[in-house]
Amino acid sequence: IKKREKGHDETSVLAGVPLAMPALLRAFEVSNRAARCGFEWNDVDGVWDKLREEEQELREAAATSDKEATTREMGDLLFTVVNLARWLGVEPEDALRRMIDRFSTRFQQMEATADKPLHSLNAEEWETLWQKAKSVSN
């Protein structure tokens, strides 16, 4: 009764996905549930097409300096990336955590090998340090 009073629809396949769940995990679960009931692309090429479409919409929104539209389009792009991860059999939370670990290791390697403060580096020096750190830690 309380759930009905609060507007929860227990007939929805999305019912029960916790609102407090981390956004990336929640997106993955919502995507999984929607796909299981048939709301799905025919193949992974459709997801790739959608990703390019969402990227273009984000570029257009960002060009207008409309923060709300840009935020909305960024969300659409991120959700599409989550769907692509699902199609590729990749758990997006794990993929992102691993990437953050790789980035952190590489960045710390850059800090350790730089011959001057990082804030004083130019783009070419950043790239050289990044490539060196990347070759050390894959």
Side-chain angles (χ1 to χ4, degrees), residues 9-98:
D9 181 5
E10 290 300 322
T11 62
S12 173
V13 297
L14 303 180
V17 178
L19 296 175
M21 183 182 265
L24 193 58
L25 291 174
R26 185 167 171 241
F28 193 59
E29 182 60 25
V30 166
S31 174
N32 274 324
R33 289 184 184 202
R36 280 195 306 260
C37 75
F39 191 73
E40 181 66 291
W41 285 273
N42 292 327
D43 55 38
V44 72
D45 289 336
V47 188
W48 284 112
D49 291 342
K50 186 64 171 176
L51 185 70
R52 286 186 287 276
E53 174 190 324
E54 294 300 346
E55 177 197 9
Q56 184 57 41
E57 290 176 5
L58 176 58
R59 287 176 182 272
E60 291 168 6
T64 69
S65 300
D66 180 342
K67 187 159 175 106
E68 182 57 36
T70 302
T71 299
R72 195 170 43 251
E73 295 303 334
M74 178 62 75
D76 290 353
L77 180 67
L78 290 170
F79 191 70
T80 302
V81 168
V82 167
N83 277 288
L84 182 59
R86 181 176 51 77
W87 266 89
L88 299 176
V90 173
E91 205 287 326
E93 183 76 21
D94 181 54
L96 183 57
R97 284 182 194 279
R98 289 180 185 200

Side-chain angles (χ1 to χ4, degrees), residues 1-10 16:
I1 294 172
K2 287 183 180 182
K3 286 182 180 180
R4 262 187 307 205
E5 289 172 355
K6 291 181 180 180
H8 293 286
D9 181 5
E10 290 300 322

Side-chain angles (χ1 to χ4, degrees), residues 94-110:
D94 181 54
L96 183 57
R97 284 182 194 279
R98 289 180 185 200
M99 180 272 151
I100 293 166
D101 290 345
R102 278 193 321 274
F103 178 87
S104 297
T105 298
R106 291 172 183 169
F107 194 87
Q108 289 167 344
Q109 178 70 28
M110 291 169 61

